[in-house]
Amino acid sequence: MAKLGYVLDEIFVQHRAPSGHPERPARAEAIRDALVAAGIASRGTQVPPRVATDGELLAVHDAMYLAQLEKVVPGRTGWLDADTYYSPGTWDAARKAAGVACQLAGDVMAGALTEAIAVVRPPGHHATRDTAMGFCLFNNVAAAAAAARAHGAARVAIVDWDVHHGNGTQDIFWDDPDILYTSVHQFPYYPGTGAPSEIGGAAAIGATVNVGLPSGATDADYAAVFDHVFVPKLLAFKPDLVLVSAGFDAFVHDPLAGMRVTTAGFAAMARRLRAVAEQCAGGRIIAVLEGGYDLTGLAGGMTEVLTAFTSPSPPAEPLAPLPTTGGVRAAIDATLAAHAAAGAPIPAP
Ligand code: ZN
């Protein structure tokens, strides 16, 4: 019997943005309103946030970095880089975003939950072990992956469909063969990383998978990436848990990026990952909010994730056709070729 857990909390609205900043409290409010309207309260259990322990943060961040943030951020307003602000509510929100991601990972590994959705701010996937950047302070998904391992997961897969490359997550697990990091993103674009040739460190060749798509990619293009790269890789890797870095800035109307994904496209990705989780991870899957700056895309996209995670059994997806020519086909081919050349070929679907 599947059990959904979810995190919606006022604390994640208290990370207050400077005027005009796209990573703003209304993002969390729009998703909350949509999920409540979709009846999430009757479809799952609300999990209260808690702060991450030092141990949970130190599993993915340097002690010096934590000490530095603790000196600068609590109770204050300012900037950690040109994009990354903090407000008086940020310290508690950031520690609880990472903490509740770890809590969900532990709950899912313990069997108390099967699927989970975390609507948290600030986002996490750009934060490296020792650097805040791209609106991110703590790497929430990375902390969850480490927590899952502490709770018995041998292998964890992270699928990052945010339109930006999750450089921080990739960096943290670069040499770790037991954490698979897969990202599809606009490329080249912020933060500049995520080339197909980035496939993991010497100890973890093939455990990083990057597909960099040209601007303008559609639902069909993303489905092709999932069916011809991510899903075969995930099924071969056999994770005990699937974590989703669920950003919605590949949405067609997103102000920061140039993709053309619709809410139906996010639904198709979520259904595919739920099917993978059911096939090899006992159904264990957690979606953690990353970016996404159009409120309609955020609300609609996460509602589709809820639907995909709570449907009795996801409808079988027909295999998406591989484009025969063009930039998307070239991007997929470049990723497959890089892995094959390194002796870590991704199986055909
Ligand atoms: Zn993003």
Side-chain angles (χ1 to χ4, degrees):
M1 180 68 188
K3 288 163 286 194
L4 175 86
Y6 65 93
V7 176
L8 296 174
D9 196 275
E10 174 65 18
I11 188 69
F12 302 115
V13 175
Q14 295 307 324
H15 170 54
R16 295 284 184 193
S19 175
H21 197 290
E23 205 292 273
R24 59 206 191 279
R27 301 176 60 241
E29 293 172 321
I31 298 174
R32 175 200 64 203
D33 292 351
L35 294 182
V36 167
I40 194 167
S42 64
R43 297 162 84 173
T45 306
Q46 187 160 7
V47 177
R50 62 155 174 91
V51 297
T53 65
D54 285 351
E56 286 167 340
L57 293 174
L58 288 168
V60 294
H61 291 292
D62 286 351
M64 290 266 288
Y65 173 64
L66 297 185
Q68 186 189 2
L69 285 186
E70 190 154 18
K71 213 158 71 179
V72 170
V73 175
R76 295 208 185 91
T77 298
W79 296 83
L80 294 165
D81 77 352
D83 305 310
T84 313
Y85 63 85
Y86 52 94
S87 75
T90 296
W91 185 241
D92 205 27
R95 289 185 306 157
K96 284 183 172 167
V100 83
C102 293
Q103 178 72 37
L104 293 174
D107 288 351
V108 166
M109 290 315 300
L113 300 173
T114 317
E115 309 87 7
I117 292 174
V119 181
V120 296
R121 298 176 53 251
H125 73 152
H126 294 304
T128 71
R129 282 191 183 275
D130 60 5
T131 309
M133 60 181 278
F135 319 155
C136 305
L137 279 74
F138 297 132
N139 196 313
N140 307 318
V141 157
R149 205 147 47 167
H151 284 87
R155 285 175 308 283
V156 178
I158 301 168
V159 179
D160 187 334
W161 75 46
D162 187 281
V163 81
H164 303 96
H165 180 239
N167 61 294
T169 314
Q170 170 173 300
D171 198 52
I172 288 167
F173 298 121
W174 182 249
D175 282 307
D176 192 330
D178 298 322
I179 309 277
L180 172 65
Y181 177 68
T182 63
S183 177
V184 55
H185 43 271
Q186 187 170 326
F187 185 81
Y189 199 50
Y190 181 89
T193 49
S197 57
E198 295 167 24
I199 62 172
I205 297 288
T208 295
V209 179
N210 283 300
V211 180
L213 296 179
S215 170
T218 63
D219 292 355
D221 297 330
Y222 274 77
V225 170
F226 272 63
D227 282 354
H228 295 274
V229 184
F230 289 0
V231 171
K233 179 71 192 184
L234 287 161
L235 293 176
F237 181 75
K238 295 187 174 62
D240 298 309
L241 167 67
V242 177
L243 290 168
V244 187
S245 264
F248 297 96
D249 38 13
F251 185 59
V252 59
H253 299 307
D254 193 89
L256 296 196
M259 298 309 203
R260 290 191 283 153
V261 175
T262 70
T263 52
F266 293 120
M269 290 190 270
R271 284 197 301 268
R272 282 169 164 83
L273 295 182
R274 170 111 193 274
V276 166
E278 295 209 317
Q279 222 175 313
C280 56
R284 291 180 288 271
I285 186 165
I286 304 173
V288 180
L289 178 65
E290 299 282 3
Y293 306 97
D294 178 90
L295 299 182
T296 312
L298 284 162
M302 200 60 111
T303 302
E304 294 292 357
V305 171
L306 171 65
T307 302
F309 283 11
T310 55
S311 298
S313 70
E317 299 286 321
L319 190 71
L322 195 57
T324 50
T325 57
V328 172
R329 174 60 185 267
I332 290 172
D333 283 350
T335 300
L336 295 175
H339 284 258
I346 293 170

